[in-house]
Amino acid sequence: DVQLVESGGGSVQAGGSLRLSCTPSGSTDDAMWMAWFRQAPGKEREGVAAERFGRGVTHYADSVKGRFTISRDNVKQTRYLQMINLKVEDTATYYCAVGYPGIGGPLKDERYKYWGQGTQVTVS
């Protein structure tokens, strides 16, 4: 099993920045992916960024390309989602997830088995 601990949400004005963190513990392997999803009230959950554990391949949703970046601290095993130039429409609860993506690709949530507790991002 994998446990995920998230932190880093908050409130910021449009144009501001936030960094989310997610630290996995337990059994992970290089074929797994860590993805970041978000869900706003009344909307479906949306994958925004994902990175493969082993080779660092990344995927980003078009809505966040150029503004969101995944990075990692290999010593702490922590992954970060750096978000800049935040927009009001980025307001959502953000979740990190770990697993093996399905045929829909790493930004689709149907095969991610392990999920963080979620952290709120509010942009005004």
Side-chain angles (χ1 to χ4, degrees):
D1 287 351
V2 177
Q3 295 78 42
L4 301 171
V5 178
E6 288 186 63
S7 64
S11 297
V12 65
Q13 291 188 335
S17 301
L18 284 173
R19 189 178 75 167
L20 308 182
S21 65
C22 182
T23 303
S25 61
S27 300
T28 62
D29 62 64
D30 286 352
M32 283 180 160
W33 289 70
M34 176 179 284
W36 294 89
F37 293 86
R38 67 186 182 187
Q39 189 165 23
K43 294 189 177 181
E44 292 188 357
R45 188 159 56 192
E46 172 192 22
V48 296
E51 181 190 52
R52 184 173 175 176
F53 272 58
R55 302 184 69 177
V57 178
T58 55
H59 289 257
Y60 295 96
D62 288 343
S63 58
V64 306
K65 279 181 182 176
R67 301 189 299 119
F68 290 14
T69 305
I70 293 177
S71 63
R72 61 168 76 181
D73 180 328
N74 287 326
V75 174
K76 297 180 181 178
Q77 299 298 311
T78 299
R79 271 65 175 177
Y80 302 99
L81 183 67
Q82 179 69 52
M83 307 183 293
I84 65 171
N85 192 21
L86 282 161
K87 304 177 181 180
V88 172
E89 52 263 41
D90 294 319
T91 296
T93 301
Y94 284 70
Y95 300 88
C96 61
V98 166
Y100 304 98
I103 58 173
L107 296 183
K108 297 297 183 183
D109 62 1
E110 67 269 14
R111 292 289 300 276
Y112 283 92
K113 184 175 181 180
Y114 306 105
W115 291 81
Q117 77 275 19
T119 187
Q120 179 67 35
V121 171
T122 302
V123 185
S124 59

